């Protein structure tokens, strides 16, 4: 594995080129341009606000700016994760000519898919921060936690993309399973709502490794407090294991990629 990592490091320029290619293809001849990076989080925020207004009326309370800000922060992170998994799953099948004809570390494809989605995430984050400042938000030292949480989320997305991209090459129905999963996973992840809304069932929800990250981002960015260290450690462990196992699994199957395309 160390030799594979050395070859990957030597391919960093190729990784940059593939990432930039994916970004350009995504926005080429697009009327909205990078505004597409903001569209999905905006739709998620809209759905989250509707749900929270309904929950507030049912409980006899009112929705606050903190609630809206929390949904915005969670929506941007979830949109990045979903896009990374979606593009990462299809990255090998979508680059069959390069996979079969050129010798280089093929893991650059799922990594480029995640990094190009990270570009969208950065664009959407800038837009969200502008809105938060307008709403009266001011950063605190706790916001530094968000950098680590985003790193964990990127690591988790990369590990899963390595596993799913290789799996999709051998079993083409994997991408359909992923689409179904991403469609419904938002309801089992605290994106549109807070985990504590589920009461005693919140710990079950937090077993989803993405959940503690979203909760932590809301804590650090909106509530301006430290995230739950135990749950952050849990997500970090799952992300590290998925990255290591995903990379090992990917490299084990890489020699068979050409014959399975």
């Amino acid at each position: 594995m160390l030799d594979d990592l050395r070859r990957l490091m030597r391919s960093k320029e190729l990784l940059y080129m593939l990432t930039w290619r994916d970004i350009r293809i995504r926005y080429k001849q697009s009327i909205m341009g990078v505004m597409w990076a903001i569209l999905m989080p905006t739709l998620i925020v809209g759905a989250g606000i509707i749900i929270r207004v309904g929950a507030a009326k049912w409980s006899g309370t009112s929705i606050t700016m903190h609630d809206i800000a929390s949904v915005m922060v969670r929506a941007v992170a979830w949109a990045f994760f979903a896009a990374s998994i979606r593009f990462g799953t299809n990255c090998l099948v979508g680059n069959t000519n390069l996979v079969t004809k050129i010798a280089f570390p093929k893991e650059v494809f799922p990594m480029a898919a995640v990094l190009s989605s990270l570009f969208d995430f950065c664009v959407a984050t800038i837009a969200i921060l502008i809105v938060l400042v307008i709403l009266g938000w001011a950063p605190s030292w706790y916001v530094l936690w968000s950098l680590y949480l985003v790193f964990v989320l990127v690591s988790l997305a990369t590990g899963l993309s390595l596993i799913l991209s290789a799996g999709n090459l051998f079993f083409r129905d994997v991408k359909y399973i992923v689409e179904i999963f991403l469609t419904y996973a938002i309801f089992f992840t605290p994106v549109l709502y807070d985990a504590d809304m589920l009461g005693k069932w919140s710990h079950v929800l937090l077993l989803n490794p993405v959940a503690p990250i979203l909760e932590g981002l809301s804590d650090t960015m909106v509530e301006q407090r430290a995230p739950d260290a135990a749950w952050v450690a849990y997500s970090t462990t799952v992300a590290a294991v998925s990255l290591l196992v995903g990379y090992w699994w990917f490299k084990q199957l890489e020699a068979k990629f050409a014959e399975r395309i």
Side-chain angles (χ1 to χ4, degrees), residues 55-70:
K57 288 186 177 180
W58 180 76
S59 61
T61 58
S62 59
I63 188 171
T64 65
M65 287 298 179
H66 265 59
D67 295 328
I68 297 175
S70 179

Side-chain angles (χ1 to χ4, degrees), residues 114 150-160 239-240 242-243:
V114 174
V150 170
F151 171 77
V152 175
L153 187 62
V154 171
S155 300
L156 179 62
T158 303
L160 293 177
S242 68
L243 192 58

Side-chain angles (χ1 to χ4, degrees), residues 14-201:
L14 176 61
L15 176 60
Y16 168 78
M17 292 174 61
L18 288 174
T19 301
W20 185 240
R21 183 207 63 173
D22 289 347
I23 293 172
R24 286 187 301 170
I25 290 176
R26 193 174 305 174
Y27 298 116
K28 186 178 181 181
Q29 296 179 340
S30 171
I31 297 177
M32 292 182 62
V34 294
M35 292 297 294
W36 282 109
I38 304 174
L39 177 62
M40 184 56 68
T42 301
L43 294 176
I44 297 174
V45 169
I49 291 175
I50 292 173
I51 290 176
R52 292 197 178 220
V53 168
K57 288 186 177 180
W58 180 76
S59 61
T61 58
S62 59
I63 188 171
T64 65
M65 287 298 179
H66 265 59
D67 295 328
I68 297 175
S70 179
V71 174
M72 292 168 65
V73 170
R74 296 165 190 261
V76 172
W78 173 256
F80 158 73
F81 180 77
S84 296
I85 299 302
R86 183 175 291 110
F87 291 123
T89 300
N90 295 295
C91 65
L92 294 179
V93 175
N95 291 279
T96 54
N97 291 334
L98 293 176
V99 171
T100 57
K101 296 180 180 179
I102 303 177
F104 58 86
K106 304 302 187 294
E107 59 268 29
V108 296
F109 288 112
M111 293 177 68
V114 174
L115 289 176
S116 62
S117 298
L118 187 61
F119 173 83
D120 291 350
F121 171 78
C122 292
V123 173
T125 298
I126 293 173
I128 291 297
L129 289 176
I130 293 174
V131 175
L132 289 178
V133 170
I134 294 174
L135 294 177
W137 174 80
S140 67
W141 287 108
Y142 291 114
V143 76
L144 296 177
W145 268 101
S146 63
L147 300 177
Y148 177 75
L149 293 169
V150 170
F151 171 77
V152 175
L153 187 62
V154 171
S155 300
L156 179 62
T158 303
L160 293 177
S161 294
L162 287 166
I163 295 171
L164 294 171
S165 61
N168 188 52
L169 199 61
F170 287 81
F171 305 100
R172 299 303 171 89
D173 49 356
V174 168
K175 63 181 179 182
Y176 302 114
I177 297 174
V178 168
E179 286 294 334
I180 295 173
F181 171 80
L182 291 176
T183 299
Y184 294 100
I186 192 172
F187 300 109
F188 302 98
T189 309
V191 181
L192 309 177
Y193 55 88
D194 298 335
D196 57 14
M197 290 182 178
L198 298 183
K200 63 180 181 179
W201 295 103

Side-chain angles (χ1 to χ4, degrees), residues 215-236:
E215 288 286 301
L217 287 172
S218 178
D219 287 339
T220 57
M221 295 291 294
V222 180
E223 303 299 335
Q224 297 191 353
R225 65 190 181 197
D228 189 303
W231 283 112
V232 170
Y234 165 74
S235 292
T236 300

